[in-house]
Every structure is written in C-alpha cells, then in structure tokens.
Amino acid sequence: MYKYQKVYVNNSELNDRYVLSIDNHEEIVEALTRFCKEKNITAGKVEGIGAINEATFRFLDPATKKYVDKTFREQMEITNLTGNISQKDKEPYLHIHLTCSRRDYTCVGGHLLSARINGACELLVTDFGLTKLKRRFDEKTGLNLYDF
Ligand code: FE
C-alpha cells in the first residue's frame, strides 16, 4: 500500500518525520489513515504532491450546515496537499485540503474526501510525538473542532 523512510535531521529528536510514497492506484486518505495507525501518530501534519485521476471534495455551506460533495474524474497533478493529523474517537482523524491542476492548467481544490493515485504520491508526514490532539463535534458550526 505504501513505502516509507524515516527522516533524520542531525540529532534532532523534536519530531519524527517520514517520507511516505503511496503505491499507484491506492486511495490517499485510506492509505494515510493506515500509516497513521501503524505509526500510532496522534498529532501531526502532512504535505505533499502527486498525480491522481479522481478526487472528491466536500463543501460545507455554513448557512444550511449541509455538505455538498463533488467528484472530478480526470488526470490531475496534485499541486498542493496539506493537512493535519489528530484523533477523534481514538481513531486517526485527517483534515486534508488539496489543490490539483488539470490538463488545461486550471485548478480545482478543496476539502478532500478521497483521491485515487494515478502515477505517484509523495508525502512528508511529521509526527508531533507524544502530543495528543483530540476533536469533537461542534453543534454550532457543524464541524469536528479541536477539543483543547
Ligand atoms: Fe477542511
């Protein structure tokens, strides 16, 4: 599903970092969730690039608190994937935003639900170590917010 190599920066042990290469045709959110479980990452961040042929985004309308999902099925370059890792109900909780470019160089993007790799997906995952970042559902906004 993926391969990874740990990153060492001098003798710094502030954060554990991994270069993560997810296999072709895998779904990014699913693979990254599995990696977080394997490494027991309870707080962190992720960034990366890659190529995909399908992406589903979710838009929350603040007025109605209703979700509108949209899927794009075409070959696209991930120009930016950025997100954070936390925990909800003791499971990894990924909050990822993705921007990708189409054949004509226009971009689409948003809050990522899922994306299917067609080519490669190269991520850098930073584990914040013993930090535990938890989330809970917030009635007012309809969002899963940090529970500090
Ligand atoms: Fe979001």
Side-chain angles (χ1 to χ4, degrees):
M1 180 169 245
Y2 50 72
K3 297 182 279 296
Y4 66 90
Q5 184 177 322
K6 202 165 176 182
V7 178
Y8 293 95
V9 184
N10 298 325
N11 292 320
S12 168
E13 290 179 8
L14 282 177
N15 294 129
D16 282 342
R17 289 197 281 182
Y18 304 90
V19 175
L20 179 65
S21 172
I22 303 175
D23 294 344
N24 200 10
H25 308 306
E26 295 284 355
E27 197 282 300
I28 294 174
V29 179
E30 188 187 335
L32 187 56
T33 300
R34 193 180 288 195
F35 179 76
C36 289
K37 275 189 191 172
E38 182 191 324
K39 293 295 167 193
N40 196 24
I41 300 173
T42 55
K45 66 171 182 171
V46 58
E47 58 210 277
I49 54 175
I52 54 176
N53 61 5
E54 185 179 306
T56 301
F57 299 106
R58 169 161 284 184
F59 183 84
L60 176 65
D61 186 334
T64 60
K65 290 186 193 172
K66 288 225 167 85
Y67 290 112
V68 185
D69 297 347
K70 189 168 172 67
T71 300
F72 295 86
R73 288 190 185 88
E74 57 193 270
Q75 186 66 22
M76 296 176 282
E77 288 279 332
I78 298 173
T79 54
N80 186 54
L81 178 154
T82 190
N84 55 57
I85 302 161
S86 56
Q87 266 194 324
K88 186 169 181 287
D89 304 322
K90 296 187 176 169
E91 292 290 322
Y93 186 96
L94 303 178
H95 187 185
I96 298 173
H97 286 194
L98 183 131
T99 308
C100 46
S101 67
R102 307 158 113 169
R103 185 179 284 265
D104 66 358
Y105 301 106
T106 60
C107 288
V108 291
H111 177 103
L112 184 69
L113 276 192
S114 67
R116 181 73 54 186
I117 298 166
N118 195 36
C121 181
E122 301 173 346
L123 305 179
L124 176 66
V125 180
T126 303
D127 180 358
F128 294 163
L130 297 174
T131 310
K132 282 201 182 348
L133 278 177
K134 289 182 185 167
R135 288 183 183 270
R136 61 174 171 75
F137 182 73
D138 178 71
E139 297 268 344
K140 280 186 199 152
T141 57
L143 298 169
N144 293 316
L145 299 180
Y146 281 131
D147 187 13
F148 292 148

